[in-house]
Amino acid sequence: MSQTNPFPYYVGVNSLEEIANKDSRCVVMNILGGESKGVTPISHEFSGGNVVAGVQYGRSGEKMETKIGDIPVFGSIKEIVDDGIDFDTGVIYLPPAAVGAAAAELISQNPKLKKIVVLTEKVSVKDSQFIRAIAQQHKIDVFGGNCLGIGNSWDQVRVGGALGGSAPGESLVKGSVAVFSNSGNFSTTIPEYLKTAGFGTSTVLSSGKDLYIHFAFAEFLYCAENDPRTKAIFCYIEPGGYYEKQALDWIQEGAIKLTKPIVCCVTGRWKANLSRAVGHAGAIAGGGDDALAKEKWFDSYFGVEMFNPDSPKVSKKGVRIESIQDAPTAMAAIYKEIGQESDFAPKGDLSLKPWFVKDQRTAFPEKLQMTAVEAMEPYNDTIKRLGNQVGAQLTRENMRNKSGASMMNPVTQVTEVHGIPVLDLVVKPFALSNFFALTKVIPDTKVLPLANALMNYFTAIGTQYMDVAARARANGTLPNGYLGAAVTVSGNKKLYTDMKEMTDKMIDLFYVDIHADSSVNYDLIEEKLSQKGIMPEGETTAKEEDIADFFSDLLAREGLETIFTEYAQRYARANSNVNKLNLLLASMVLSVSWKPLVDRQIPRETALEIGTYLACNGIIVGCCAPQYEINDFYKEMSELSDLSILNTDFATTVFTMLFNREPATREQFAINGLLNLLNSNGPGTISAKGAKESVSGGNFIATCYSGWMNNTGRDHGGNGFEAIKFLKDSFGDFDPYQETDSAAKDAKLKELAKAAAEKYLETKTTAKREGILNYFKVPCVNHPVFKGKPVNYDPREVFMDKLFKERDEINFFQEFYHHLVQAMFDVGATKNVFCVNIDGVIATISLDLLWDDVNSGKIDSKAMQDIAFIMFLLGRMVGCSAEIADHKSRGQAMDCRTPASQVEWVG
């Protein structure tokens, strides 16, 4: 027999089934707001259409679309009532400050209102008191605040909130356990746990955990006792408040009748030493209402200790569990104690069922090892589709002052590209560095012959833009300007679009079947060849046929065939309307980048465009020759009359283009090292910023190359000439390569260094005496970081010096600098011994390469200046290709703008 309302205040519902059921008619306040927009349609559809209208201030006449029909939207509650729409429940999704006014509007405008559900968290105590007062006065039940909703599993109804998530029917399974939870998330989790022991639910109530809980534990127990569907109660209790003690006291005093058992989980011991709210507004510790206190309240009521799954002991009143993982076992013990059967056969279990397992190659003990299982529907299909997505999935963000490509290591002060210090790159072949900048992995040296040939081919076809570069140079344009003009003119030409589309097609054709294994599979190739005409159309010239044959022979000779290169060649034979060479180029570039792509080290977008980046690099190298009119190597490269030229080491190609002669072994090593050393100086340099800003503007890759070139000039890149000129002037007529006596040579270098130091001291002294601030300073010495010690060293310069000496290739200009910094201290020009910085290495290597040609008159002062600048550009083009690719795959449109708040006007 049901008990009558025992409370000294108004409680309108007498049974849980009355709170939310198939007769409930709801109006949602702020229905088109961010949270409601995703939740309300699901509740409405699950419940068979229980939301009759919504309020969105200022947007009357709109509607919320759902699968079972539109929900009309009004500008106020009065409009809804005036329209003749009846409802008994108001659901409030408004911000805390607006909840009180919304409750007052509901109550004042709708005399038929019976319930208010407050989803909002952290409603102020003052507003909660106001809501409580007017609701009691008008005999209206309030649920919340911070309520995640109410679910009726028998009627398949959900009112307010996201209880049960996007598939509430999975959690709200018909049964005999009533669930009361301070936590919104656990109001969904607990029913899922109970199902594993065969228990469904009657009503699930997310009580919320604001300081004010309007429909609290006592009211819930009273309604559960009167609910014929409910045999037992589960409650999840958090610290804060005396609601539970009040309810248990009233039961023991006989004010509330309760014959049904409770399984209780009290959480929050970790909050015992806190003095402020953590998580929910009411979850405050430090008083007599903390977790330990609440555990004692329930243990005293139950008359038994906390539940032990290994030795289950319960009372007819219930039991307290330590963790919700014990909920199924404890509930089963309770039902056995009261002589009741579970609701249905157990569904599932609580064993860990990981959808993904990554042990990081760690040998875990057997009991800790996990095996991935197939996810439930519809997640299994989603995971399968995600698993077939190739490449890294990077989050888009503002990349204005960020880089995922390069950084300056704060400890070593050495620039790193993709985590590798540029000093480690010095000895790597320059052709492989061009790939590394884009793939983030240095390719295996076995692909070096292919990398050299590809870079040389792109250089050969890049020479076609020499007319643009030559015209700009004739007009006095600096190297960055005329090389930037050449690459920009290439725009987004057919070669680029072909390689991108062809790469895209081959990834789609093969990834799902081969994943990381790109070895030749003729059966699979034949299967894919049945798809004809899928590649972009184009014609193959006789010259391109020859070049394609050259690459085919190279692949066979070096054992570098892959499923992509074999497919490309066979597709071209079966489809005459495709550019055979472009397809083979795309397949070779994809072959080199395949492993980083499938290992998700680079995004698919980058992989599709690697060919474009390499071709742009080829244009810059192809148009860099200062004496191209009389450079036989340039002529042979541009004509490709002898394809064996494509086998040239790519650093040697650069040297021969610049100096119009073949390098000696020492020079070949030096220019390869210099180009790699210049790869990057970090993301903050203006060359890198120029590249990133161009990406931000939405330009083609070729234009982005021009962006970083336009951000170099006499002061960044071209200033290397100053150090070279200083060295040349300091050495005068002395030629260190002609002096064979090592001791005499070292003595002469010391003599020259002392003379340069004394000249600098005189200049410095005169300047200070006369108040001249902008006087000549010795370039390439001192450093903002490596300074302050009696003797200072730049570790990068030390590394390079050691590297050359290990090869018995002493750079005499670098040795001069070592003597110079000591001499500057000895003559009193400096207070300590400065370091020779990394710019000194660049200048000394550059002069070492230029020395013979400058002394012989083959290269004049202007040409020397241009070549020094070009070598900087050729190294930096590799680092900037990395910055462009990184920004394209991570950044957002226009993300390099400076916010107006950071801009200053100077009058």
Side-chain angles (χ1 to χ4, degrees):
M1 181 177 178
S2 299
Q3 62 178 323
T4 56
N5 190 322
F7 300 104
Y9 46 82
Y10 175 78
V11 177
V13 290
N14 292 292
S15 172
L16 293 181
E17 58 187 340
E18 297 175 13
I19 298 176
N21 52 54
K22 60 185 177 182
D23 295 322
S24 298
R25 292 294 174 265
C26 308
V27 162
V28 178
M29 308 283 284
N30 196 29
I31 190 170
L32 300 179
E35 186 175 353
S36 170
K37 189 166 53 178
V39 172
T40 298
I42 296 172
S43 297
H44 183 66
E45 292 157 9
F46 172 71
S47 307
N50 66 341
V51 181
V52 295
V55 171
Q56 193 69 39
Y57 299 115
R59 296 174 66 176
S60 181
E62 296 190 26
K63 62 185 178 181
M64 171 177 276
E65 296 181 357
T66 77
K67 295 177 182 178
I68 62 174
D70 297 339
I71 301 172
V73 176
F74 295 83
S76 66
I77 295 296
K78 185 176 186 304
E79 288 183 22
I80 295 174
V81 174
D82 289 346
D83 202 54
I85 298 175
D86 291 333
F87 66 96
D88 64 331
T89 302
V91 178
I92 299 177
Y93 270 106
L94 288 157
V99 171
E105 182 181 358
L106 280 164
I107 294 171
S108 65
Q109 297 298 323
N110 181 18
K112 297 180 181 180
L113 189 72
K114 298 297 181 184
K115 307 178 194 74
I116 296 175
V117 182
V118 180
L119 282 297
T120 309
E121 182 179 5
K122 296 181 181 177
V123 179
S124 71
V125 172
K126 181 179 180 181
D127 285 350
S128 294
Q129 290 174 332
F130 168 72
I131 294 169
R132 180 75 175 176
I134 60 173
Q136 286 287 303
Q137 182 181 356
H138 291 83
K139 300 188 182 309
I140 293 168
D141 288 315
V142 181
F143 301 86
N146 191 27
C147 169
L148 194 70
I150 306 157
N152 183 328
S153 301
W154 285 48
D155 284 3
Q156 292 291 276
V157 165
R158 183 174 82 178
V159 171
L163 192 153
S166 59
E170 293 181 5
S171 297
L172 298 176
V173 176
K174 181 179 178 180
S176 58
V177 179
V179 176
F180 176 91
S181 175
N182 287 161
S183 164
N185 288 334
F186 280 115
S187 63
T188 296
T189 304
I190 293 161
E192 291 289 347
Y193 276 41
L194 292 173
K195 280 162 47 180
T196 65
F199 297 102
T201 52
S202 52
T203 288
V204 180
L205 173 68
S206 165
S207 70
K209 200 64 175 74
D210 262 8
L211 289 172
Y212 249 87
I213 300 178
H214 290 277
F215 193 88
F217 194 48
E219 292 93 295
F220 185 86
L221 295 180
Y222 160 70
C223 289
E225 178 71 15
N226 289 344
D227 182 11
R229 306 168 305 160
T230 298
K231 296 178 183 178
I233 299 155
F234 184 96
C235 62
Y236 181 86
I237 305 299
E238 294 179 342
Y242 289 85
Y243 296 104
E244 298 82 22
K245 187 175 191 311
Q246 183 183 57
L248 297 175
D249 286 349
W250 279 352
I251 293 170
Q252 291 176 325
E253 293 167 4
I256 295 178
K257 175 185 176 183
L258 183 66
T259 61
K260 298 175 181 180
I262 302 170
V263 174
C264 170
C265 179
V266 176
T267 188
R269 280 195 178 202
W270 62 274
K271 297 179 179 179
N273 296 320
L274 301 180
S275 59
R276 56 169 294 179
V278 178
H280 295 132
I284 300 176
D289 56 349
D290 59 13
L292 290 173
K294 293 195 174 190
E295 289 174 1
K296 292 178 181 178
W297 301 343
F298 280 99
D299 289 347
S300 175
Y301 172 75
F302 296 139
V304 292
E305 295 180 349
M306 183 182 71
F307 183 72
N308 181 353
D310 297 326
S311 179
K313 183 179 179 180
V314 301
S315 75
K316 283 185 167 53
K317 289 183 178 181
V319 71
R320 178 177 64 83
I321 60 177
E322 184 176 28
S323 167
I324 64 166
Q325 70 183 23
D326 295 329
T329 308
M331 192 60 72
I334 287 289
Y335 269 59
K336 182 179 180 181
E337 179 72 18
I338 64 177
Q340 294 287 335
E341 299 292 328
S342 60
D343 299 324
F344 43 75
K347 297 181 178 181
D349 59 72
L350 295 182
S351 62
L352 190 62
K353 305 176 187 68
W355 295 348
F356 311 95
V357 173
K358 182 68 173 177
D359 59 14
Q360 302 293 332
R361 299 177 182 174
T362 301
F364 289 110
E366 185 176 351
K367 64 180 181 180
L368 295 180
Q369 293 177 5
M370 296 183 290
T371 302
V373 301
E374 183 178 357
M376 66 183 73
E377 293 183 355
Y379 308 110
N380 56 348
D381 183 59
T382 301
I383 290 170
K384 183 178 179 181
R385 284 187 279 109
L386 287 173
N388 289 337
Q389 288 183 359
V390 61
Q393 308 295 318
L394 302 179
T395 302
R396 293 282 177 180
E397 57 184 302
N398 187 306
M399 292 294 294
R400 176 185 169 215
N401 293 319
K402 302 176 186 177
S403 174
S406 65
M407 65 168 287
M408 176 67 76
N409 186 304
V411 177
T412 65
Q413 288 296 304
V414 174
T415 301
E416 296 179 358
V417 179
H418 303 316
I420 298 181
V422 292
L423 297 180
D424 291 353
L425 296 176
V426 165
V427 296
K428 303 299 181 183
F430 186 53
L432 297 185
S433 298
N434 280 258
F435 279 89
F436 161 70
L438 302 160
T439 64
K440 302 185 181 181
V441 176
I442 299 174
D444 194 294
T445 52
K446 70 180 182 181
V447 305
L448 180 57
L450 177 60
N452 279 326
L454 282 168
M455 293 311 304
N456 283 321
Y457 173 70
F458 288 131
T459 296
I461 61 173
T463 60
Q464 66 183 285
Y465 298 98
M466 180 58 88
D467 60 331
V468 176
R471 289 179 63 188
R473 185 167 57 184
N475 291 332
T477 307
L478 292 174
N480 62 310
Y482 61 73
L483 293 177
V487 74
T488 303
V489 169
S490 70
N492 194 34
K493 64 179 181 176
K494 186 169 176 20
L495 171 64
Y496 302 164
T497 58
D498 270 6
M499 288 193 295
K500 181 176 181 179
E501 185 176 350
M502 289 166 170
T503 303
D504 195 35
K505 297 286 187 184
M506 285 187 284
I507 292 173
D508 285 341
L509 281 172
F510 290 103
Y511 175 65
V512 173
D513 294 304
I514 70 172
H515 290 282
D517 182 10
S518 62
S519 61
V520 178
N521 181 332
Y522 290 109
D523 290 338
L524 185 58
I525 291 172
E526 287 302 317
E527 176 188 326
K528 302 304 181 183
L529 287 173
S530 63
Q531 301 182 45
K532 299 183 182 298
I534 63 173
M535 295 296 174
E537 294 184 359
E539 296 181 1
T540 308
T541 67
K543 188 67 173 180
E544 288 172 333
E545 286 274 4
D546 292 341
I547 297 169
D549 290 342
F550 165 85
F551 277 112
S552 297
D553 292 342
L554 184 150
L555 292 169
R557 182 176 68 251
E558 300 293 339
L560 297 174
E561 303 100 327
T562 67
I563 196 168
F564 307 114
T565 61
E566 287 299 301
Y567 169 80
Q569 294 174 77
R570 292 177 178 230
Y571 181 94
R573 288 197 290 269
N575 298 266
S576 59
N577 62 338
V578 67
N579 187 298
K580 177 180 180 180
L581 178 57
N582 287 359
L583 180 55
L584 187 55
L585 290 170
S587 72
M588 291 186 292
V589 172
L590 179 59
S591 297
V592 177
S593 58
W594 184 249
K595 192 174 188 305
L597 175 64
V598 297
D599 286 349
R600 289 181 164 84
Q601 291 175 291
I602 60 173
R604 179 171 180 148
E605 178 184 6
T606 299
L608 297 181
E609 297 177 323
I610 289 178
T612 301
Y613 290 102
L614 299 179
C616 287
N617 291 357
I619 293 174
I620 295 171
V621 176
C623 295
C624 75
Q627 299 174 317
Y628 73 97
E629 301 95 337
I630 58 172
N631 189 318
D632 291 338
F633 182 82
Y634 169 86
K635 183 179 179 182
E636 293 173 14
M637 188 66 80
S638 62
E639 294 176 352
L640 283 182
S641 54
D642 180 0
L643 295 180
S644 66
I645 196 172
L646 298 179
N647 295 318
T648 307
D649 173 79
F650 190 50
T652 299
T653 294
V654 171
F655 184 95
T656 313
M657 283 284 201
L658 289 175
F659 296 98
N660 195 12
R661 62 180 175 84
E662 291 186 8
T665 301
R666 175 182 59 81
E667 292 175 318
Q668 195 280 338
F669 179 80
I671 194 163
N672 186 88
L674 177 62
L675 293 171
N676 285 322
L677 188 64
L678 288 165
N679 185 301
S680 176
N681 197 34
T685 53
I686 62 173
S687 55
K689 287 177 68 66
K692 292 162 67 67
E693 287 169 359
S694 191
V695 174
S696 174
N699 287 306
F700 292 131
I701 291 171
T703 309
C704 296
Y705 268 66
S706 180
W708 70 259
M709 283 206 180
N710 289 337
N711 267 36
T712 60
R714 292 189 179 91
D715 294 327
H716 179 54
N719 60 343
F721 173 71
E722 294 175 0
I724 296 173
K725 185 177 184 302
F726 166 74
L727 286 166
K728 188 73 176 66
D729 291 345
S730 297
F731 273 66
D733 296 331
F734 174 64
D735 188 343
Y737 298 99
Q738 301 302 315
E739 176 60 69
T740 57
D741 187 310
S742 297
K745 185 185 302 183
D746 193 57
K748 182 64 175 178
L749 291 176
K750 289 181 179 178
E751 177 188 330
L752 296 174
K754 183 179 180 182
E758 290 174 340
K759 182 178 179 181
Y760 168 67
L761 176 61
E762 181 183 353
T763 302
K764 179 180 179 181
T765 303
T766 302
K768 286 191 173 183
R769 182 174 62 248
E770 298 179 1
I772 301 172
L773 300 178
N774 189 24
Y775 61 92
F776 173 79
K777 298 178 177 63
V778 176
C780 305
V781 299
N782 209 1
H783 190 275
V785 175
F786 310 118
K787 65 182 221 178
K789 298 179 180 179
V791 179
N792 298 275
Y793 300 98
D794 184 330
R796 300 167 295 179
E797 187 273 334
V798 172
F799 175 90
M800 294 300 296
D801 182 49
K802 180 182 178 183
L803 179 64
F804 282 114
K805 286 179 178 175
E806 286 175 349
R807 291 176 54 86
D808 196 25
E809 295 178 357
I810 297 174
N811 184 306
F812 304 117
F813 307 109
Q814 196 168 0
E815 288 299 295
F816 164 80
Y817 257 115
H818 293 156
H819 294 313
L820 175 63
V821 291
Q822 181 66 49
M824 290 169 67
F825 171 73
D826 292 340
V827 302
T830 59
K831 294 181 180 180
N832 52 20
V833 179
F834 285 170
C835 71
V836 181
N837 64 38
I838 192 64
D839 290 335
V841 176
I842 295 168
T844 55
I845 294 177
S846 299
L847 184 55
D848 180 63
L849 295 172
L850 288 160
W851 185 259
D852 286 342
D853 294 320
V854 170
N855 280 347
S856 67
K858 184 177 179 180
I859 295 177
D860 60 18
S861 177
K862 175 64 169 63
M864 180 173 72
Q865 183 174 0
D866 281 358
I867 291 174
F869 194 175
I870 291 170
M871 285 191 289
F872 168 84
L873 295 173
L874 296 180
R876 193 51 55 87
M877 78 179 178
V878 176
C880 283
S881 69
E883 298 292 350
I884 293 168
D886 176 67
H887 203 111
K888 276 175 64 68
S889 59
R890 294 178 189 269
Q892 300 170 332
M894 304 292 287
D895 62 357
C896 282
R897 292 177 296 180
T898 301
S901 60
Q902 297 179 22
V903 177
E904 297 181 7
W905 182 80
V906 180

